[in-house]
Amino acid sequence: MSVTAAQGFRAAGVAAGLKPSGRPDVALVVNDGPDAAAAGVFTRNRVQAAPVLWTRQVLTDGRLRAVVLNSGGANACTGPAGFADTHATAEHVATALGVGAGEVAVCSTGLIGVRLPMDQLLPGVTRAAAELSATGGGLAAEAIRTTDTVSKQAVRTSSGGGVVTVGGMGKGAAMLAPSLATMLVVVTTDAVADAATLDRVLREACRTTFERVDSDGCLSTNDTVLLLASGASGQSLPEAELTELVTAVCDDLAGQMLGDAEGSTKTISITVTGAASEPDALEVGRAIARNNLLKCALYGKDPNWGRVLAAIGTTAAAFEPDQLDVSMNGVQVCRAGAPGESRDLVDLSGREISIVADLHAGDAELTVRTNDLTDGYVYENSAYST
Amino acid sequence: MSVTAAQGFRAAGVAAGLKPSGRPDVALVVNDGPDAAAAGVFTRNRVQAAPVLWTRQVLTDGRLRAVVLNSGGANACTGPAGFADTHATAEHVATALGVGAGEVAVCSTGLIGVRLPMDQLLPGVTRAAAELSATGGGLAAEAIRTTDTVSKQAVRTSSGGGVVTVGGMGKGAAMLAPSLATMLVVVTTDAVADAATLDRVLREACRTTFERVDSDGCLSTNDTVLLLASGASGQSLPEAELTELVTAVCDDLAGQMLGDAEGSTKTISITVTGAASEPDALEVGRAIARNNLLKCALYGKDPNWGRVLAAIGTTAAAFEPDQLDVSMNGVQVCRAGAPGESRDLVDLSGREISIVADLHAGDAELTVRTNDLTDGYVYENSAYST
């Protein structure tokens, strides 16, 4: 159900012909209200796709009535003509729904540097608008897939009396910054919440979920996460509780993305403990997550902890090299910067791998998630343009 | 001839049994003088191997009589015991040669986190000392190979009357910072030059060669580049001329390393023009060189210039996204941040690929070199520990 699990939302997914495969490639999500509050978080890449530029702009008033998403083309690095295409798409949605174009967000994903075939996209939008349904969340989630092998959907509900629902869909084996490929996420809720609250909730949810997934260190031009509230439940939640629900949905989607990362065979959680600060812990976690040599070794089921230390050594975090401890799947293979228990005790045969690096420099701690680097990844990213 | 091309040097390479394959794994280079001036440049990784710690220390007085190098073990993350092993190795060389241990540099490469088998290494050093020869440069270059498929050697001579020679050997498909695997380089010259001059010459030579090769973004714990001067030619050169010769040798070695990078099929030069400053140009060049998605695309002969722009966008360099130009093998596929000439015109079938990115933000320009990301790289780094 994903984006239509919460009351007040309809969605659709159709095949407009943007993908050579003929699979669904246009999704539409509509907020029927009564509220139209919304917030967004976007890529930090300075080269931003036209739909990112457009959606940032329309979100300045904290209102959205609809989100139109397409796969089959990123509409990035397409110049003023590409921006005009995004604008025309939003106008087309607005006309079909009887709302203002300034209430329509646009998200695109696919190859960079190619114009979208508007003669296929706009009729597709018309069809999607005609097929909107309160059970259309699954079809919408299908339509935003690119190299995803499965659609990603998640739903959570509040535990109190008047039930509030949060649902979301996502695409990408990715993170917000950086990403393996474009990550697009739409989260909807029927809670009553104003735009300022949604903005705080969404930023906090992203910070501890998508922002801590680092699949391949590459930051997309199109990453977008949107949160829409219809208020249709008539219920408002304490901000902390709403944050918890939205975070749970984002965390679930992030995990699904990693589990489906291009060519991956391992899902790797890297927990940095004993850091002097959270930024230190994050820098170290990311450095480990981005080390190609380590990621290859883990693909090969090799507990090569020296590559973990080599990665830590590239950071500016507070630590002493001779105090570093590293555990892999519960075996402390490195103690005080030197060999600890035998690496032969480490079993890396399963998909889940846990690495714990203790800096012994403070009390801060966090976990970054990544995946391995495989010949499957190389194949998917060399055999055809994405 | 490499390190024995210049007068005043002898070298040897022997098989001590450190490598399971039984191939040569211990090299010795001796400076017979009359001078013993030397300089070194080391990894910036904060986790530094015992031989790096040792060699930095003995180089503080700018003198070296010998360099002993071993493959088959990095002696990194081995604690105080590992440092004692390095010290013992230097003492052993000193005794064999009749010099002081403080005049002996040590370099190691191989797996991190494992102690060296001293009962094999020390007898190997004894044999190497017995086999020292003024034509031993080639054998020494062979003995420092790890995953290198060929040894790397380069020689240049001055064009003036009294000839000065600079020769060098290297291992690694790598760079000084960061590196694909440990890079070890020893350069020798028979020029008369003091340690301070050698230090300036070597830093400048590294800055424009090894520092601008970025194979896989991974910074080794063991990277070392040493420059030794015997003064045996009796000639001194203007500093600029010596810098030119040493730079030429380093550039040649850097090119050989890239040409032999693990699993690579493409050698990629990334020239950044129109940058506001050299640091800006370097940041952009490195960001492009480290983009896994681009490196996979180039492996697949796909001129996916959108990934170049996405990489540029992750930097803090001065530029406007709608002014970026990108050429691939002479075809300007991106003009003003939008599609330029057809990507179909780009021929990426050869090994050499040239990418030019013009930031239109100033006059600074430089070139960073890298290679593609292939299933061969994944295989070499996952199938066994390195």
Side-chain angles (χ1 to χ4, degrees):
Chain A
M1 294 285 285
S2 69
V3 290
T4 49
Q7 299 173 63
F9 292 92
R10 289 176 297 152
V14 302
L18 301 165
K19 283 180 182 165
S21 65
R23 294 164 84 171
D25 45 24
V26 172
L28 187 59
V29 180
V30 174
N31 182 354
D32 290 319
D35 299 343
V41 173
F42 301 91
T43 180
R44 292 202 196 88
N45 199 308
R46 289 169 60 202
V47 175
Q48 303 198 332
V52 170
L53 297 172
W54 169 267
T55 302
R56 292 171 72 99
Q57 190 174 309
V58 301
L59 258 176
T60 49
D61 65 355
R63 282 178 58 83
L64 282 182
R65 277 291 171 198
V67 184
V68 59
L69 310 95
N70 74 274
S71 49
N75 198 6
C77 306
T78 44
F83 190 82
D85 290 342
T86 291
H87 186 178
T89 306
E91 291 283 0
H92 198 82
V93 170
T95 302
L97 301 178
V99 302
E103 297 174 307
V104 179
V106 181
C107 301
S108 299
T109 178
L111 188 61
I112 296 176
V114 179
R115 294 276 301 280
L116 291 172
M118 297 300 285
D119 56 336
Q120 294 177 296
L121 176 57
L122 297 186
V125 168
T126 303
R127 286 224 319 287
E131 294 179 19
L132 286 166
S133 143
T135 57
L139 289 171
E142 282 295 328
I144 59 174
R145 284 172 50 193
T146 50
T147 57
D148 307 71
T149 64
V150 291
S151 70
K152 282 91 179 176
Q153 307 177 50
V155 177
R156 294 292 186 283
T157 52
S158 64
S159 49
V163 172
V164 162
T165 299
V166 176
M169 66 178 185
K171 66 82 44 183
M175 74 166 302
L176 199 61
S179 65
L180 182 137
T182 294
M183 182 183 76
L184 300 181
V185 171
V186 178
V187 179
T188 59
T189 179
D190 45 23
V192 175
D194 61 22
T197 303
L198 293 179
D199 188 66
R200 288 193 301 273
V201 164
L202 185 60
R203 282 180 196 286
E204 177 61 17
C206 286
R207 187 179 71 82
T208 58
T209 58
F210 300 123
E211 293 277 0
R212 292 187 187 162
V213 175
D214 196 326
S215 180
D216 73 348
C218 296
L219 176 59
S220 159
T221 51
N222 290 55
D223 292 330
T224 302
V225 183
L226 299 174
L227 174 58
L228 285 68
S230 68
S233 72
Q235 307 285 326
S236 66
L237 289 178
E239 186 167 325
E241 195 177 339
L242 184 58
T243 301
E244 200 176 306
L245 286 176
V246 173
T247 300
V249 166
C250 290
D251 193 60
D252 193 337
L253 291 173
Q256 291 180 50
M257 288 176 188
L258 266 185
D260 191 30
E262 290 176 342
S264 71
T265 70
K266 305 289 183 190
T267 298
I268 305 157
S269 80
I270 299 156
T271 300
V272 180
T273 64
S277 67
E278 188 174 302
D280 268 18
L282 188 59
E283 184 188 359
V284 169
R286 273 202 203 288
I288 298 170
R290 290 184 187 176
N291 190 281
N292 279 352
L293 290 170
L294 175 65
K295 288 155 73 102
C296 284
L298 296 178
Y299 171 47
K301 306 181 183 65
D302 173 13
N304 199 329
W305 59 266
R307 293 177 180 176
V308 176
L309 261 69
I312 297 173
T314 63
T315 71
F319 71 84
E320 292 300 326
D322 61 359
Q323 292 180 10
L324 297 171
D325 294 338
V326 175
S327 295
M328 300 180 97
N329 279 359
V331 181
Q332 197 183 49
V333 284
C334 172
R335 193 173 294 143
E341 294 182 78
S342 168
R343 52 200 290 153
D344 297 339
L345 300 174
V346 182
D347 177 7
L348 300 181
S349 59
R351 180 170 179 106
E352 303 292 326
I353 294 179
S354 163
I355 297 174
V356 180
D358 191 340
L359 306 185
H360 290 287
D363 297 323
E365 172 176 340
L366 59 72
T367 298
V368 171
R369 290 184 284 175
T370 186
N371 50 264
D372 53 345
L373 177 56
T374 72
D375 42 14
Y377 174 86
V378 172
Y379 177 75
E380 289 211 36
N381 289 291
S382 62
Y384 53 88
S385 286
T386 55
Chain B
M1 292 285 285
S2 69
V3 291
T4 49
Q7 299 175 62
F9 293 92
R10 288 176 299 152
V14 302
L18 302 163
K19 283 181 183 166
S21 65
R23 295 164 84 170
D25 46 23
V26 172
L28 188 59
V29 180
V30 174
N31 182 354
D32 289 320
D35 300 341
V41 173
F42 302 91
T43 180
R44 291 202 197 89
N45 200 308
R46 290 170 59 201
V47 175
Q48 303 198 333
V52 170
L53 297 172
W54 170 266
T55 302
R56 292 172 72 100
Q57 190 175 308
V58 300
L59 257 177
T60 50
D61 65 355
R63 281 179 58 84
L64 282 182
R65 277 291 171 201
V67 183
V68 60
L69 310 94
N70 75 273
S71 49
N75 198 7
C77 305
T78 45
F83 190 82
D85 289 342
T86 290
H87 186 177
T89 305
E91 292 283 1
H92 198 82
V93 171
T95 303
L97 301 179
V99 302
E103 298 174 306
V104 179
V106 182
C107 302
S108 300
T109 177
L111 189 61
I112 297 176
V114 178
R115 293 277 301 280
L116 291 171
M118 296 300 285
D119 56 335
Q120 294 177 295
L121 176 57
L122 297 185
V125 169
T126 304
R127 285 225 321 287
E131 295 179 18
L132 284 167
S133 144
T135 57
L139 290 171
E142 282 294 328
I144 59 174
R145 284 172 50 191
T146 50
T147 57
D148 307 71
T149 65
V150 292
S151 70
K152 281 91 180 175
Q153 307 178 48
V155 177
R156 293 291 186 282
T157 52
S158 64
S159 49
V163 172
V164 162
T165 299
V166 177
M169 67 178 184
K171 66 82 45 181
M175 72 168 303
L176 199 62
S179 65
L180 184 136
T182 293
M183 181 183 78
L184 300 181
V185 170
V186 178
V187 179
T188 60
T189 180
D190 44 24
V192 176
D194 61 22
T197 303
L198 294 179
D199 188 66
R200 287 192 301 273
V201 165
L202 186 60
R203 282 180 199 286
E204 177 61 16
C206 286
R207 187 178 70 82
T208 57
T209 58
F210 300 123
E211 293 278 359
R212 293 188 186 162
V213 176
D214 195 326
S215 181
D216 74 347
C218 295
L219 176 61
S220 159
T221 53
N222 289 54
D223 293 330
T224 302
V225 183
L226 299 174
L227 173 59
L228 284 68
S230 68
S233 71
Q235 307 285 325
S236 65
L237 289 178
E239 187 168 326
E241 195 176 341
L242 184 59
T243 301
E244 199 176 308
L245 287 176
V246 174
T247 300
V249 167
C250 290
D251 194 60
D252 193 337
L253 292 172
Q256 291 179 51
M257 289 176 188
L258 266 185
D260 193 30
E262 290 175 343
S264 71
T265 69
K266 304 289 182 190
T267 298
I268 304 157
S269 81
I270 299 156
T271 300
V272 180
T273 64
S277 67
E278 188 173 303
D280 267 17
L282 187 59
E283 185 189 0
V284 169
R286 272 201 202 292
I288 297 171
R290 290 183 186 177
N291 190 281
N292 279 351
L293 289 171
L294 175 66
K295 289 154 73 101
C296 285
L298 296 178
Y299 172 46
K301 306 179 183 66
D302 172 14
N304 199 330
W305 59 266
R307 292 176 181 177
V308 177
L309 261 70
I312 297 173
T314 64
T315 72
F319 72 84
E320 292 301 325
D322 60 1
Q323 293 179 8
L324 297 171
D325 294 338
V326 175
S327 295
M328 300 180 95
N329 279 359
V331 181
Q332 197 184 48
V333 283
C334 172
R335 194 172 294 142
E341 294 181 79
S342 169
R343 53 202 288 156
D344 296 340
L345 300 174
V346 183
D347 177 7
L348 300 180
S349 59
R351 182 171 178 104
E352 304 292 326
I353 294 179
S354 163
I355 296 175
V356 180
D358 190 340
L359 305 185
H360 290 287
D363 296 323
E365 172 175 341
L366 60 71
T367 299
V368 171
R369 288 183 286 175
T370 186
N371 50 265
D372 52 345
L373 177 55
T374 71
D375 41 13
Y377 173 87
V378 172
Y379 176 76
E380 288 210 36
N381 289 292
S382 62
Y384 52 88
S385 285
T386 53

